């Protein structure tokens, strides 16, 4: 299922819109620019999904790099911080 809110937030930053529910039919476009079509938004979904996945992978890698630099495991950090 296409996450229209995620697409709009990432690809249409600064535009004014509301989304009632999760479906394209609930999209109310309030910006002066043309409302993107359902096909356009659906076409962007795979790249937005990849972007989200890449961000999650980078976050995990950064976390692991910090742990490695500190010489600690995730369990040790959890034990320290409670």
């Amino acid at each position: 299922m296409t996450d229209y809110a995620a697409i709009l937030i990432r690809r249409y930053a600064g535009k004014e819109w509301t989304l009632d529910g999760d479906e394209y039919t609930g999209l109310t476009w309030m910006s002066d620019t043309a409302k993107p079509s359902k096909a356009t938004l659906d076409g962007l979904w795979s790249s937005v999904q990849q972007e989200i996945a890449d961000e999650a992978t980078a976050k995990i890698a950064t976390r692991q790099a910090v742990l490695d630099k500190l010489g600690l495991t995730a369990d040790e950090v959890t034990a320290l911080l409670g």
Side-chain angles (χ1 to χ4, degrees):
M1 184 167 116
T2 301
D3 186 339
Y4 294 107
I7 297 166
L8 292 164
I9 289 166
R10 290 173 177 269
R11 297 293 188 265
Y12 294 89
K15 303 299 181 193
E16 295 181 36
W17 52 271
T18 62
L19 187 61
D20 183 17
D22 297 329
E23 299 297 323
Y24 180 82
T25 54
L27 175 60
T28 301
W29 196 255
M30 297 179 289
S31 286
D32 293 336
T33 59
K35 176 181 177 179
S37 69
K38 182 179 186 311
T40 297
L41 296 180
D42 288 342
L44 292 170
W45 180 227
S46 63
S47 64
V48 169
Q49 281 181 303
Q50 186 62 53
E51 186 177 294
I52 292 167
D54 291 347
E55 289 170 2
T57 300
K59 183 176 180 179
I60 291 167
T62 299
R63 180 175 180 246
Q64 188 59 52
V66 169
L67 291 175
D68 291 346
K69 193 176 272 190
L70 294 172
L72 298 171
T73 66
D75 289 338
E76 291 169 332
V77 171
T78 300
L80 286 170
L81 298 176

